[in-house]
Amino acid sequence: MKTWMRYRLLVFIAGGVILLDQISKALIRQHLALYEVWVPWPWLAPYARIVHWYNTGVAFGLLQERGKLFAVLAVLVALAILYYFPRIPTSEKWLRLALSLQLGGAIGNLIDRLTLGHVTDFISVGTFPVFNLADASITIGTGLLILSVWLQERRERSANALSNSNLPGESLPSSPNDQP
């Protein structure tokens, strides 16, 4: 299979995440002063709002002042995904989507770290820490990764159970009383 074909989904999804993330952050930086809050409808204020925020840590404002460490980690994660992605069977759609979302989010925040020295955040929901589209993409990708691994394990267990029940000459006891 051609190299481009193996990376097509990764480039499309990760590229879309990076583009949307960078455009949304640029709009926030352009239209809201740092720490300024915008709520389109007053009734929405307790639940969700847009706020111009930044952090030097990792997703959701954790581990502040470690931006350089996370820049290095983002590069390592991106390289690992780029290496591993073409080796994933195309039938593993959830895993491929998960890694694509994670790559897009990692690069989206890496661009901020390298160009601004911090990450622009702007989505504020309830009392949850302020985040951005890259953070959301990484989180959703992680959830899909967990789901993918769980589904794969279920398929393997079902296949093993089926193959073990079809072994010639062997039968499993149907009740504890049938055991020798």
Side-chain angles (χ1 to χ4, degrees):
M1 182 185 274
K2 294 180 183 175
T3 302
W4 161 248
M5 295 302 285
R6 287 183 279 179
Y7 284 102
R8 186 177 54 200
L9 177 72
L10 183 72
V11 169
F12 180 73
I13 299 292
V17 168
I18 293 165
L19 183 66
L20 290 173
D21 178 64
Q22 290 300 301
I23 288 171
S24 63
K25 290 173 180 176
L27 288 170
I28 293 302
R29 289 189 298 265
Q30 181 180 6
H31 295 288
L32 292 178
L34 190 59
Y35 308 119
E36 183 179 354
V37 177
W38 176 67
V39 181
W41 304 284
W43 60 267
L44 191 60
Y47 312 107
R49 59 219 148 266
I50 302 297
V51 57
H52 183 179
W53 200 264
Y54 77 87
N55 83 61
T56 57
V58 70
F60 311 114
L62 301 172
L63 302 171
Q64 292 295 309
E65 303 303 323
R66 292 192 175 87
K68 290 179 184 174
L69 170 66
F70 294 117
V72 170
L73 287 175
V75 169
L76 293 175
V77 166
L79 290 173
I81 290 172
L82 290 171
Y83 172 79
Y84 183 62
F85 193 84
R87 291 156 179 76
I88 302 169
T90 55
S91 61
E92 292 291 330
K93 291 174 178 52
W94 291 113
L95 179 57
R96 294 169 66 84
L97 176 60
L99 293 178
S100 299
L101 289 168
Q102 290 174 332
L103 179 66
I107 292 175
N109 280 341
L110 179 62
I111 291 169
D112 278 18
R113 289 185 200 289
L114 296 177
T115 59
L116 304 171
H118 62 268
V119 174
T120 301
D121 288 335
F122 60 92
I123 302 169
S124 179
V125 179
T127 59
F128 197 74
V130 181
F131 61 100
N132 60 47
L133 295 180
D135 296 338
S137 181
I138 292 168
T139 303
I140 292 167
T142 301
L144 288 175
L145 178 67
I146 293 167
L147 175 66
S148 172
V149 169
W150 180 72
L151 290 172
Q152 180 63 29
E153 286 178 359
R154 281 190 65 194
R155 284 191 297 267
E156 288 174 4
R157 270 190 259 132
S158 294
N160 287 340
L162 184 61
S163 68
N164 287 340
S165 68
N166 291 332
L167 291 176
E170 292 186 24
S171 64
L172 297 174
S174 58
S175 73
N177 297 334
D178 293 341
Q179 293 184 6

